[in-house]
Amino acid sequence: MNTLQCISPIDNSIYAERPLASQNEIQTALDNAQKSQTAWKQTPLTERIAITRAAIKNFTAKESQLAEELCWMMGRPIRQAPSEIRGFAERATYMADIAEAALADIRLPEKPGIVRFIRREPLGVALVIAPWNYPYLTAVNAVVPALLAGNAVLLKHSAQTPLAAERMVEAFAEAGLPRGVFQYLHLGHGDIERLVRSPAIKHLSFTGSVKVGAAMEYAAAGRFIGVGLELGGKDPAYVRADADLQHAVETAVDGAFFNSGQSCCGIERLYVHEALYGDFVERAIALVKQYRLGRPDDPETTLGPLVRAEAADFVRGQIDEAITQGASAHIDPMDFPADKPGTPYLAPQILTEVQPGMRVMAEESFGPVVGIQKVRDDEEALALINDSEYGLTAAIFSRDLEVAEALGDRIESGTVFLNRCDYLDPALAWSGVKNSGRGCTLSSIGYEHLTRPKSFHLKIRL
């Protein structure tokens, strides 16, 4: 098959269809990227920043169009879709704001007759592979700082969201970015791995599953290039006895069910102190029952479909298995008429009486389900939080900053939240541990992964 088809989860129709790039087109893109990058890295940083700011303006001017496309491509409720466009702008703007400071030469103390400094050089051509669940927010993390640092970028988006790649490239082209510096490619799986092995590619940024991430790392093995991987998550939240109960309920429930649970850093495991457990579960159930499951192009819908029927059936399987193993389900799917087995439409679910060995508490769900487990104290919660192959984010709900920070030091994750979750601050390093990945995007540290240090030792007095 030489084309990709974006099948909309709304009604199973073909929303977009694109030809896959031929071998000649792939090679041409690589050649153009290499040639243009040589000139782009010599372009003054102030000019690169100005082009980026213009691209952000072009991108946000199409918010309504982009939101509608998101809705149809991957099923985000139309009332929520615009927030991704604004999030893109926030992250891109921040990385532009800090670019001069982050990419500045590191000047060392003077020595008699010697000038010393470290300069950050772009790597060359970066390949960015982005997923469908947050197609703009995941891509922006690597694309914008890579361009600002003087790299050329090839962007490959999921077959589910091909228009996202096209729209990003369009925004930069309209801003005056030189031809070849930022391109997209629609590729088949075999072509992706061959591209990773190409000597022209000097950095790989991949967001997706652990299985595919391992394949990407294997493809890059022996090439000695930077590989940034944001992979799976089974992110936990812990509600301490001193938490603001209502705030914890509202925040954790939103973190679990926003985007139908299809978020790498969404809440998939909830541990609640026994003093609050009963009230927390009761309020969470009441809140989830208020969701409206339906077509995402309906402005009244608050919970859209999953991306594919297979994804919904996978989550159904996790839920059914947990119930047979003793878990209690608190949401009746009959209360959500749009829920239909064999379709992407899946009712939300809250499970209690869950155990760590259940798949729904150990295996990434990526759907509208959360298990809630009662805990006695901080130590039990900490042990359960760290009992996972993943470590992207973890959330604590508490009024005690000192205790929360001490717990955070012992949590195995890339980010620790207090009294919030499922959020990415572009000023902070975005990174995972264990099977959640490696490398870092965003913040000033993110620039370090998209450049190489070059030392200058200049003896000026002979």
Side-chain angles (χ1 to χ4, degrees), residues 28 36 71 82 98 108 159 175 186 232 244 266 283 364 376 422 450:
T28 298
S36 64
C71 173
I98 68 168
L108 299 174
H186 298 310
D244 180 317
R283 295 189 191 194
E364 188 172 27
R376 296 182 303 274
D422 192 26
L450 294 163

Side-chain angles (χ1 to χ4, degrees), residues 29-40:
L30 283 170
D31 292 343
N32 289 339
Q34 288 182 289
K35 292 174 185 176
S36 64
Q37 194 270 331
T38 301
W40 177 242

Side-chain angles (χ1 to χ4, degrees), residues 57-74:
K57 185 176 180 180
N58 295 338
F59 186 79
T60 56
K62 300 177 182 177
E63 181 181 290
S64 296
Q65 174 192 344
L66 299 176
E68 182 179 350
E69 291 173 350
L70 267 180
C71 173
W72 277 89
M73 285 189 294
M74 52 75 62

Side-chain angles (χ1 to χ4, degrees), residues 269-427:
R269 300 178 286 148
L270 259 168
Y271 304 110
V272 182
H273 191 279
E274 59 187 8
L276 299 181
Y277 179 80
D279 286 342
F280 184 97
V281 171
E282 182 179 342
R283 295 189 191 194
I285 293 169
L287 185 55
V288 170
K289 286 182 176 179
Q290 295 176 28
Y291 280 103
R292 177 169 175 175
L293 174 67
R295 285 179 58 115
D297 56 342
D298 180 349
E300 298 301 314
T301 293
T302 56
L303 190 71
L306 272 69
V307 68
R308 288 182 295 276
E310 295 84 356
D313 287 341
F314 174 81
V315 179
R316 285 188 178 94
Q318 281 190 333
I319 294 170
D320 292 344
E321 182 181 286
I323 292 171
T324 63
Q325 294 172 341
S328 297
H330 295 272
I331 305 297
D332 185 352
M334 298 295 288
D335 292 337
F336 294 83
D339 178 296
K340 289 181 175 60
T343 78
Y345 292 87
L346 174 64
Q349 188 56 267
I350 289 177
L351 299 173
T352 59
E353 307 302 324
V354 290
Q355 299 298 325
M358 295 176 177
R359 283 199 304 140
V360 77
M361 294 299 282
E363 183 179 74
E364 188 172 27
S365 299
F366 229 58
V369 59
V370 67
I372 307 178
Q373 188 169 346
K374 183 192 302 183
V375 295
R376 296 182 303 274
D377 53 29
D378 291 347
E379 291 303 315
E380 183 181 13
L382 187 65
L384 290 166
I385 286 170
N386 287 337
D387 183 21
S388 175
E389 65 181 282
Y390 300 107
L392 188 56
T393 78
I396 301 169
F397 291 88
S398 171
R399 290 185 171 92
D400 193 323
L401 174 61
E402 185 177 347
V403 170
E405 188 174 340
L407 283 172
D409 277 337
R410 299 169 64 193
I411 290 175
E412 298 165 355
S413 68
T415 296
V416 175
F417 294 110
L418 176 62
N419 297 323
R420 76 177 312 169
C421 60
D422 192 26
Y423 175 75
L424 196 160
D425 184 336

Side-chain angles (χ1 to χ4, degrees), residues 131-147:
W132 52 264
N133 63 318
Y134 283 97
Y136 291 118
L137 289 182
T138 52
V140 70
N141 294 354
V143 168
V144 167
L147 292 172

Side-chain angles (χ1 to χ4, degrees), residues 6-8 13-17 65 68-70 72-73 163:
C6 168
I7 307 297
S8 176
S13 63
I14 298 175
Y15 182 67
E17 190 168 11
Q65 174 192 344
E68 182 179 350
E69 291 173 350
L70 267 180
W72 277 89
M73 285 189 294
L163 300 186

